[in-house]
Amino acid sequence: MGRTFGLMGVDWEQRVDFERLRVARLDRIKGLLRASELGSLMCFDPNNIRYITSTLIGTWSNDKFVRWSLLMQDHEPIMWDFGSAARHHQIYCPWLDTRSRAGITNFRGGIRPEAGRAEDVAHKIKVELEQAGLGNDPIGLDIVEPPIMFALQKEGLNVIDGQQLMLQARMIKSEDELVLLDTACMMVDAAYEELYKVMGPGMKENECVGLVAKTLYDLGSEHVEGVNAISGERTHPHPHIYSDRVMRPGDPVFFDILHAYNGYRTCYYRTFAIGSASRALVDAYARCRYYLDDAISRVKPGATTAEVAEAFPRAQEFGFPNEESAFALQLGHGVGLSIWEKPVISRLIEPEHADVIEEGMVFALETYWPAADGYQAARIEEQLIVRKTGAEVITRFPAEQLLVAGQRYQTVEGALPTMRERQSNLNRPDGLLREGVKPNGADQPRPKSPEPAGRQHSTDRAASSKERQPNLRRQPRSRRSSR
């Protein structure tokens, strides 16, 4: 079973060992690099940089591509960063020793090409490789801006794809990574609990996003990457972005909560009904759950991702012409330092390109199903660890049946059913009116239309006055006399 602890480090209990985490990650990528054709790995992807160097300067840098690292065969990693950040690493990241250096790229194009920043980056790499005797070996690169790529090639370096090696390293999680991933899910459990307690008609999607973000940050989240909040008619088709739409009685609403705890992320959908759910939505949810549970049951070491993907319905079964147009609606994907890693599980991927599932993998499985009424849909996702005996689901907020959030309404005959059509006129008892059956008293003559205001006779006004007297709200005289 997975384990979660408190969110602090303590001396009286063995929790996440961050030194062990750093060493295990670096040792794994070193071993894969040694067995590959590559002489070195150059990384601009912030998640790869973190995996190799255990450095971070804030999520604001994730889309800037201004910092980079170099890992060479049989060498320790070198890190180039903003000057002040590099100085900070020298003081507080002793595992980098003297290998934390100042450096800057072309500022995502903000610095004029003539300033030569791309050429400076390439030259720094060339010097290190030549000193290590690796100048003629292929250098693996994960992601890069074109000017940097061109400058590396101009230096005579043989640049090839290095992202596959990095994702292979990140695919199997260590003991400490598993605890961090489980803890990240625990925090989303809490966010869903907060949502369930307050959702109801009048609440906006963006208010839900704010509540989720506050809950996660209060618990210690490092980064709320996104909250996908979708309600009502927006659920079908799925737009993948929240809005300011106001929830209404009978609405479906689903969320995907993506955040990071110490770098390790979640991808975690849940669907709710506001006040009540129609039969069409309940059926859609049941289909979603069926496909998801079938997929989970197929997860075990030695199985292939293609075998798991067979549990998903074909695109044509839920209204799409092909698998590419339906991609991400029936999906599995690795989760770690980013929300999309290896393995990827989809009918879009041919079986001959499938991955073999291994113990220690962590991935999410997500399903979607549109309701038969054409304007609602359900979405569920579970995140899991691959154990020796199969899948251990670490997303614990209840999802075996559709949950109804919001006020419970009481009628004169008891609680209003939570499975009902959102239009009240469609919720008559079976056969009523259609078969000519009328409620009690419906056979009596209908009352005459009231006189216009101000034209009532005095006797009518007197009668109206008596009807407003409190004693007339007691039981009828016949009942009182029978006592």
Side-chain angles (χ1 to χ4, degrees):
M1 288 291 293
R3 294 177 298 166
T4 55
F5 303 94
L7 302 174
M8 293 170 39
V10 296
D11 65 340
W12 46 263
E13 187 173 65
Q14 179 64 58
R15 298 184 174 183
V16 173
D17 184 331
F18 286 101
E19 179 61 22
R20 182 175 61 190
L21 173 72
R22 287 188 286 266
V23 170
R25 292 191 304 203
L26 183 55
D27 283 351
R28 181 164 172 78
I29 186 57
K30 279 182 174 180
L32 290 173
L33 178 60
R34 192 177 303 114
S36 76
E37 63 174 321
L38 302 177
S40 59
L41 265 170
M42 182 181 183
C43 295
F44 286 89
D45 184 326
N47 300 314
N48 290 337
I49 292 172
R50 187 170 190 171
Y51 192 89
I52 293 172
T53 69
S54 294
T55 60
L56 180 71
I57 65 169
T59 57
W60 63 268
S61 68
N62 283 357
D63 63 348
K64 305 297 189 298
F65 306 117
V66 292
R67 52 199 303 266
W68 73 98
S69 66
L70 178 68
L71 178 64
M72 299 180 288
Q73 290 265 11
D74 302 318
H75 285 70
E76 296 302 307
I78 304 172
M79 180 71 220
W80 285 269
D81 216 325
F82 274 79
S84 59
R87 177 67 63 84
H88 187 275
H89 301 332
Q90 292 167 9
I91 299 170
Y92 295 105
C93 301
W95 54 88
L96 283 177
D97 197 19
T98 59
R99 290 167 283 101
S100 175
R101 304 173 185 177
I104 190 69
T105 64
N106 58 347
F107 219 69
R108 198 162 179 172
I111 299 175
R112 292 173 63 90
E114 296 82 3
R117 297 314 310 163
E119 289 75 15
D120 181 72
V121 171
H123 181 69
K124 284 181 166 66
I125 297 299
K126 179 71 176 291
V127 168
E128 296 297 333
L129 292 176
E130 287 187 339
Q131 289 179 353
L134 298 169
N136 295 323
D137 290 42
I139 175 173
L141 195 59
D142 53 6
I143 54 176
V144 70
E145 291 186 87
I148 304 290
M149 178 76 167
F150 301 150
L152 290 167
Q153 292 173 332
K154 192 173 180 179
E155 286 282 0
L157 299 175
N158 179 18
V159 181
I160 64 174
D161 180 19
Q163 187 73 293
Q164 290 301 309
L165 194 68
M166 281 305 312
L167 290 179
Q168 184 182 350
R170 289 164 52 186
M171 188 161 53
I172 305 298
K173 272 60 177 183
S174 68
E175 176 184 353
D176 295 300
E177 289 179 292
L178 295 178
V179 173
L180 292 172
L181 284 159
D182 208 347
T183 303
C185 289
M186 171 273 292
M187 296 161 77
V188 180
D189 297 341
Y192 277 126
E193 181 71 17
E194 293 302 311
L195 281 174
Y196 184 75
K197 288 190 292 188
V198 302
M199 281 192 299
M203 191 170 188
K204 293 181 290 186
E205 291 174 6
N206 56 289
E207 288 182 279
C208 294
V209 172
L211 175 61
V212 169
K214 176 177 174 20
T215 302
L216 293 173
Y217 282 126
D218 285 351
L219 283 170
S221 176
E222 176 183 291
H223 175 44
V224 180
E225 183 173 349
V227 180
N228 198 350
I230 314 294
S231 66
E233 298 81 1
R234 297 184 70 245
T235 60
H236 180 41
H238 184 1
H240 297 276
I241 185 171
Y242 70 87
S243 75
D244 60 345
R245 185 185 182 277
V246 179
M247 296 177 191
R248 303 182 67 186
D251 272 352
V253 54
F254 55 66
F255 301 88
D256 189 12
I257 300 179
L258 307 92
H259 88 110
Y261 173 64
N262 277 289
Y264 288 86
R265 301 177 186 263
T266 63
C267 193
Y268 184 170
Y269 269 102
R270 286 294 185 264
T271 296
F272 304 88
I274 302 301
S276 63
S278 69
R279 167 55 69 183
L281 179 59
V282 172
D283 290 346
Y285 190 92
R287 290 287 289 269
C288 235
R289 188 74 242 182
Y290 170 80
Y291 294 127
L292 182 56
D293 289 344
D294 190 7
I296 292 171
S297 71
R298 298 168 185 239
V299 174
K300 59 184 178 181
T304 69
T305 52
E307 291 168 352
V308 178
E310 287 177 356
F312 296 147
R314 298 182 186 278
Q316 293 82 356
E317 295 179 54
F318 57 106
F320 290 86
N322 53 55
E323 298 301 334
E324 186 175 31
S325 63
F327 187 78
L329 296 180
Q330 314 287 347
L331 180 68
H333 58 89
V335 182
L337 286 172
S338 63
I339 63 161
W340 277 14
E341 297 186 352
K342 286 179 175 290
V344 176
I345 302 170
S346 169
R347 282 188 174 273
L348 179 66
I349 302 169
E350 297 297 333
E352 58 266 29
H353 303 306
D355 287 307
V356 176
I357 294 173
E358 300 179 55
E359 184 181 356
M361 286 183 173
V362 176
F363 53 84
L365 292 170
E366 50 187 296
T367 54
Y368 172 91
W369 196 261
D373 56 26
Y375 62 85
Q376 301 183 97
R379 196 94 158 94
I380 318 174
E381 184 173 22
E382 304 283 22
Q383 198 164 313
L384 56 90
I385 298 171
V386 180
R387 302 293 191 184
K388 289 181 180 179
T389 56
E392 178 192 346
V393 174
I394 57 175
T395 40
R396 295 194 191 177
F397 194 82
E400 57 267 27
Q401 293 185 33
L402 178 62
L403 295 185
V404 177
Q407 178 72 263
R408 297 296 185 269
Y409 298 104
Q410 297 295 321
T411 76
V412 293
E413 295 183 352
L416 193 69
T418 53
M419 188 166 70
R420 58 187 293 278
E421 299 302 320
R422 61 184 185 174
Q423 300 177 60
S424 292
N425 62 299
L426 301 179
N427 293 303
R428 295 277 187 178
D430 287 344
L432 192 62
L433 298 182
R434 184 181 69 245
E435 303 297 335
V437 180
K438 298 180 180 180
N440 292 337
D443 289 326
Q444 300 298 320
R446 295 192 180 192
K448 294 180 180 179
S449 300
E451 292 281 349
R455 292 182 59 188
Q456 285 183 303
H457 295 296
S458 59
T459 55
D460 294 335
R461 289 196 296 271
S464 297
S465 175
K466 290 181 180 179
E467 290 172 0
R468 291 194 295 270
Q469 295 176 23
N471 65 308
L472 296 182
R473 292 196 291 270
R474 296 173 185 169
Q475 292 179 331
R477 176 173 298 179
S478 60
R479 290 191 179 183
R480 291 199 300 270
S481 60
S482 66
R483 294 178 184 174

